[in-house]
Amino acid sequence: MALSNARLAAVNGEVAMLETQVLVVGAGPVGLTASVALSQSGIEHVLVERHPSTSSLPKARAINARTMEMYRQMGLENDIRAAGLPPKFGGMILWAESLAGKEINRLAPGRGSAASLAASPVGNCGCSQDILEPILRAHAERFASGSVRFNAELSDLQHGTGGATGVLTDRVSGRTTPFRARYVIGADGTRSFVREKLGIGRTGERDIYDSVNVHVRADLRPWVEDRPAALYLIEQPEFRATFLTVNGADRWGFLVHSLSAYGFTKENLTVERCVDLVRRAVGVPDLPVEVLGINFWNCSAMVADRFGDGNVFLAGDAAHETTPSGGFGMNLGVQDVQNLAWKLAAVLRGEATPSLLDTYEAERRPHALDVVRATLLNMQSFDRSRRQAEAKLPRKEFLNERGLVFGACYQSAAIVTDGSKPPEVKDPVIEYVPSAHPGCRAPHVWLQRADERISTIDLFGRGFVLLAAPGGSAWRSAADRQRGTKIDVHVLGEDVFDPEGLWMKTYGVGEGGAVLVRPDGYVGWRVATGPGDPGAALGAVLGQILGRDALKQAV
């Protein structure tokens, strides 16, 4: 059922003021995902975007397995996969002097390895941004009819203890509308107006190299059908470029790197010259090529010094800008709003105090710093930021970042420690050890429910879930005693079964023990064996996670 539209209230009897619980600024993948997540939590909101529609350029294309788990839980996975690339295109990246010329090297990404596939019930997905955004938009508009507004620009923003106010400007008519919102999510990209109004700086490497992304229509199947890849990196003395696979047939992104190092400028990279570069990269001088769009941009690796101020939060590229080496940018952003949306919903429903929102930055910023640094090192390892005479292959971590995809371990007031230590790994970028240590992503284990084989991942994503070991029936009544917070309880051996006998070992609990999983799929608390009073223990834990008085939870 679609949510009702935000309210329009008269101001001094003349100007209609838009009133909403949450204003989301920016309708890229991050803002659109935030809209869907807020709707599914029952939170009224408005999403505004200054552009007239969704992106017409491929831009980001890689959706990693952790993000696809999110979309699976939100009910979006099937639509995205149906529109995306067949899995065969994710099995390789290739270096060549030209598509028709000498091949230099092939690399099979470790993210598609057996170890990666065993970590999740879903795999990666290739779906370019111009295809993904309309899918997300359709779901956002279905859930919140009338609340997704294009050609609507945030032109002023003020915030205080009671919320945020400002002005929205219709970019077609010029009409302005004042608004009032309890909270604002700034998902408005690298040049974020929201971040600027908050006066938040960024730290990192700025303008590492300049680049252009050319969206082209050209039938390249004769040179790629027998070697399907996600990326085709072209190495020539006069320029370095990458073909980004969009549909694997006649639609491609063509990325030319380090423009100034090779004498390219916005002025001399005309449509005709772009066509010539594509033909040279393919190695076919008379290849029919149609340019569909050209986008110039600079590569940076930056993280905002803060992820918000008061009732205003930053997400996606507004909060962190990664290099494209590793395909993390969009994934990092949509996982931001997964973390933030459930917390906003809990506060707006009165289940949590506003202190819960402080844990957004505490949890997401350290992870963003790790990811941004990894993408910078990836880029530096095969150095596409300066002119080179020959190809340089990337470091071993490139596209093998299982640890970054699955292994984030949060530390915040919304995590209740159990005295244990997280898994130790030699390389946290590439190594992932499944663990239900508090703060870690609740790991994937195959279970059986009636005649259906399901993953533990399928139990998470919409609210608190308590998974109890055999002998944990008392947790059902303990959950029922909690006032104001609904908890879904699953007891092994009763409503779900563990045919492979892996759950207790993987989750680190014994008979009667339990694990409390937060709405974002991360472990909030774990108890190895059943406590004397499960209701009181669970109440105290919820009190800490949600920032409220634990003594008032059990009745």
Side-chain angles (χ1 to χ4, degrees):
M1 179 180 296
L3 295 176
S4 60
N5 293 341
R7 299 174 300 281
L8 286 171
V11 179
N12 299 325
E14 297 179 359
V15 181
M17 172 173 277
L18 177 71
E19 293 186 343
T20 187
Q21 290 183 311
V22 181
L23 179 74
V24 182
V25 184
V30 176
L32 288 165
T33 300
S35 175
V36 174
L38 290 168
S39 290
Q40 292 183 339
S41 295
I43 299 302
E44 173 200 83
H45 65 281
V46 172
L47 170 62
V48 296
E49 168 57 55
R50 64 187 301 270
H51 292 103
S53 188
T54 53
S55 176
S56 61
L57 293 172
K59 296 184 181 178
R61 301 171 310 117
I63 310 177
N64 67 35
R66 176 62 194 137
T67 301
M68 288 306 295
E69 288 179 353
M70 266 181 48
Y71 285 141
R72 178 185 179 105
Q73 293 162 344
M74 298 170 79
L76 310 184
E77 180 194 10
N78 290 341
D79 287 351
I80 294 171
R81 287 201 187 278
L85 277 169
K88 67 179 182 179
F89 289 98
M92 178 176 69
I93 63 174
L94 182 145
W95 283 259
E97 293 179 355
S98 69
L99 291 184
K102 179 183 176 182
E103 183 176 314
I104 299 171
N105 191 58
R106 296 185 180 195
L107 175 66
R111 294 184 202 168
S113 67
S116 291
L117 296 175
S120 175
V122 302
N124 306 324
C125 180
C127 187
S128 63
Q129 193 166 333
D130 59 324
I131 296 173
L132 175 64
E133 285 186 7
I135 296 170
L136 297 177
R137 177 180 180 176
H139 284 279
E141 291 177 334
R142 176 169 63 89
F143 286 122
S145 178
S147 293
V148 179
R149 306 181 182 189
F150 286 82
N151 279 317
E153 183 172 20
L154 178 67
S155 51
D156 189 33
L157 174 66
Q158 307 293 329
H159 72 100
T161 56
T165 60
V167 177
L168 302 175
T169 300
D170 187 309
R171 287 171 58 85
V172 176
S173 67
R175 180 182 176 184
T176 60
T177 302
F179 74 85
R180 180 185 296 118
R182 285 280 304 279
Y183 296 101
V184 173
I185 300 175
D188 52 341
T190 58
R191 298 181 179 88
S192 172
F193 177 81
V194 174
R195 188 183 66 235
E196 179 183 324
K197 291 295 288 184
L198 296 178
I200 295 176
R202 296 190 297 166
T203 302
E205 301 286 335
R206 187 189 302 273
D207 297 335
I208 302 167
Y209 64 82
D210 49 358
S211 186
V212 65
N213 195 340
V214 186
H215 184 197
V216 301
R217 190 181 302 281
D219 189 356
L220 304 185
R221 284 175 293 183
W223 303 280
V224 302
E225 274 192 321
D226 63 340
R227 48 181 185 178
L231 303 172
Y232 298 85
L233 290 88
I234 304 302
E235 305 284 346
Q236 296 186 11
E238 297 83 10
F239 72 101
R240 311 177 82 193
T242 302
F243 284 104
L244 312 170
T245 307
V246 175
N247 67 3
D250 66 344
R251 204 156 67 83
W252 301 83
F254 182 67
L255 184 64
V256 183
H257 308 270
S258 303
L259 302 181
S260 56
Y262 291 88
F264 298 124
T265 66
K266 288 185 179 181
E267 292 72 29
N268 67 31
L269 266 179
T270 61
V271 170
E272 292 75 19
R273 193 170 190 188
C274 288
V275 169
D276 177 64
L277 289 176
V278 171
R279 288 171 172 166
R280 288 163 59 188
V282 177
V284 180
D286 58 350
L287 178 73
V289 177
E290 178 187 2
V291 173
L292 303 175
I294 299 177
N295 178 44
F296 291 90
W297 57 281
N298 284 4
C299 170
S300 298
M302 307 283 288
V303 178
D305 298 333
R306 291 175 288 134
F307 275 21
D309 190 353
N311 288 23
V312 183
F313 301 91
L314 302 176
D317 287 351
H320 38 69
E321 186 176 357
T322 72
T323 81
S325 301
F328 275 96
M330 179 178 67
N331 294 283
L332 193 59
V334 296
Q335 291 169 29
D336 286 343
V337 292
Q338 181 207 31
N339 182 288
L340 180 58
W342 78 265
K343 295 174 180 178
L344 286 170
V347 173
L348 288 166
R349 291 195 298 254
E351 299 174 17
T353 66
S355 65
L356 174 63
L357 301 175
D358 296 337
T359 68
Y360 168 62
E361 177 178 317
E363 294 178 352
R364 293 302 298 169
R365 190 170 184 274
H367 182 54
L369 288 167
D370 289 341
V371 170
V372 170
R373 173 173 170 75
T375 70
L376 177 62
L377 293 175
N378 283 344
M379 185 276 297
Q380 291 172 338
S381 70
F382 58 112
D383 198 0
R384 298 180 81 79
S385 63
R386 60 188 178 91
R387 191 175 185 119
Q388 288 186 192
E390 59 184 25
K392 184 177 179 182
L393 301 181
R395 68 187 190 134
K396 70 180 189 308
E397 288 87 354
F398 178 58
L399 299 183
N400 291 314
E401 302 97 341
R402 284 188 298 274
L404 289 184
V405 172
F406 297 116
C409 190
Y410 297 152
Q411 296 182 48
S412 78
I415 301 296
V416 181
T417 61
D418 65 354
S420 66
K421 294 182 179 180
E424 292 186 6
V425 294
K426 293 181 180 179
D427 188 336
V429 173
I430 65 175
E431 295 180 40
Y432 167 67
V433 177
S435 172
H437 175 83
C440 292
R441 158 190 170 269
H444 155 64
V445 174
W446 287 115
L447 300 175
Q448 194 76 22
R449 182 171 59 188
D451 296 329
E452 179 185 19
R453 189 185 191 220
I454 64 168
S455 167
T456 47
I457 301 299
D458 297 323
L459 301 176
F460 312 141
R462 295 295 182 89
F464 281 94
V465 174
L466 193 141
L467 290 175
S473 298
W475 289 109
R476 296 189 190 278
S477 59
D480 290 341
R481 290 172 58 192
Q482 307 312 310
R483 185 173 62 199
T485 300
K486 184 180 183 299
I487 303 172
D488 290 332
V489 179
H490 301 278
V491 181
L492 271 291
E494 295 185 9
D495 58 317
V496 290
F497 299 86
D498 181 15
E500 298 176 11
L502 296 175
W503 184 83
M504 291 176 69
K505 179 180 179 181
T506 303
Y507 274 66
V509 298
E511 192 82 9
V515 174
L516 181 67
V517 181
R518 307 185 322 184
D520 58 356
Y522 282 76
V523 176
W525 174 62
R526 177 175 63 177
V527 58
T529 58
D533 187 342
L538 187 56
V541 164
L542 284 173
Q544 177 173 331
I545 292 175
L546 298 175
R548 62 195 190 193
D549 185 357
L551 298 178
K552 298 179 180 179
Q553 303 315 304
V555 296

